[in-house]
Amino acid sequence: MPLEQVLVLLCAAAGAGWVDAVVGGGGLLQLPALMVTGMPTVEAMATNKFSSVFGTASAAVAYARSTKVDRQVALPGAALAVLSAGLGAWAAASISAEVLRPAVMVVLLAVAAFVTLRPAMGAVPEPHLRTRGRVVAAVATAGVGIAFYDGILGPGTGTFLIIAFTAILGLDFVSASASAKIINIGTNLGALLVFGAQGHVQWALGLGMAVCNVAGAQFGARMALRRGTGFVRVILLCVVAAMVVRLGWQQFG
């Protein structure tokens, strides 16, 4: 691979780490950058997972040091996510992305409308929403449904996790982002185990991108913690809009 392409991928990995750490959706930068090089789609997805698992873990540590992680949801959800994302990665070769993209676009538009029409959502915690049933629902939604989606397609997984924790459990955006990182480690790891066993990961390139992803993730996590929920909300809406545009271009462009 030419040096120029490698440098572009390293920059994309750093940017993806920042976006992922703040609100999720770093695959918007990293995955297309890998695919532009001519890399097969499955190899691009696999190498993206290898890089992302390091950045996500790094961001999770940064959040855990400064804010409360909902371990009652995050830990069992992450354990389920390893299995669910692995199943999604295994099914990725047999399910067409063209079938999934329209559904994902509809969900993203609904997310954007939901966040826009409820400006108070995620601004402050709403502990009265936390019931035993909602905790179970959050674990199932994150550890099974969203994790399977991450293995099979992936864009916006971190964003979906944050919205799920905010809407179901009443967490503020920063706390939701912190808990989402734990689940996201599980989804990345589960998919990576399957892709790695299938021989799709470009390990050397992925390792270089992982270093840059970690650097971006550290910067993004610290910025989100410093600037608070309002900043995370704005970035979330920007990322959702970018994902809708990108998926729409892939589907109809």
Side-chain angles (χ1 to χ4, degrees):
M1 184 179 293
L3 178 60
E4 293 81 1
Q5 284 189 340
V6 173
L7 292 175
V8 169
L9 289 175
L10 294 179
C11 290
W18 185 91
V19 173
D20 260 338
V22 176
V23 75
L28 280 170
L29 296 174
Q30 195 163 255
L31 190 56
L34 285 163
M35 295 178 68
V36 163
T37 66
M39 190 181 298
T41 300
V42 177
E43 285 189 19
M45 291 175 65
T47 306
N48 174 59
K49 291 299 180 192
F50 179 59
S51 170
S52 297
V53 73
F54 289 95
T56 302
S58 172
V61 171
Y63 275 108
R65 288 174 176 171
S66 302
T67 193
K68 183 179 179 181
V69 175
D70 193 330
R71 297 185 181 186
Q72 189 178 359
V73 174
L75 295 182
L80 284 172
V82 175
L83 177 61
S84 299
L87 290 172
W90 178 76
S94 59
I95 299 181
S96 172
E98 282 71 20
V99 174
L100 294 175
R101 284 194 198 110
V104 176
M105 288 171 63
V106 170
V107 172
L108 286 169
L109 289 170
V111 165
F114 189 65
V115 174
T116 301
L117 295 174
R118 292 189 59 190
M121 189 187 79
V124 295
E126 297 180 86
H128 64 279
L129 293 179
R130 187 187 181 88
T131 63
R132 186 171 184 177
R134 283 176 174 263
V135 169
V136 172
V139 171
T141 299
V144 179
I146 297 176
F148 184 81
Y149 164 77
D150 192 26
I152 202 168
L153 191 60
T157 296
T159 306
F160 290 139
L161 288 170
I162 291 171
I163 291 298
F165 290 152
T166 304
I168 297 173
L169 296 177
L171 300 182
D172 64 83
F173 279 132
V174 173
S175 297
S177 187
S179 299
K181 298 298 171 287
I182 307 298
I183 307 288
N184 220 170
I185 293 172
T187 65
N188 285 332
L189 183 59
L192 179 61
L193 289 172
V194 173
F195 286 137
Q198 294 174 340
H200 293 306
V201 181
Q202 292 201 12
W203 300 103
L205 175 62
L207 186 59
M209 293 178 69
V211 172
C212 295
N213 200 275
V214 167
Q218 284 293 304
F219 183 54
R222 292 173 185 178
M223 184 176 289
L225 288 166
R226 185 172 65 250
R227 297 198 175 186
T229 58
F231 172 73
V232 175
R233 182 177 185 273
V234 170
I235 299 299
L236 185 147
L237 287 171
C238 291
V239 169
V240 167
M243 281 191 288
V244 170
V245 171
R246 181 196 164 205
L247 291 172
W249 177 263
Q250 288 178 323
Q251 188 73 19
F252 308 112

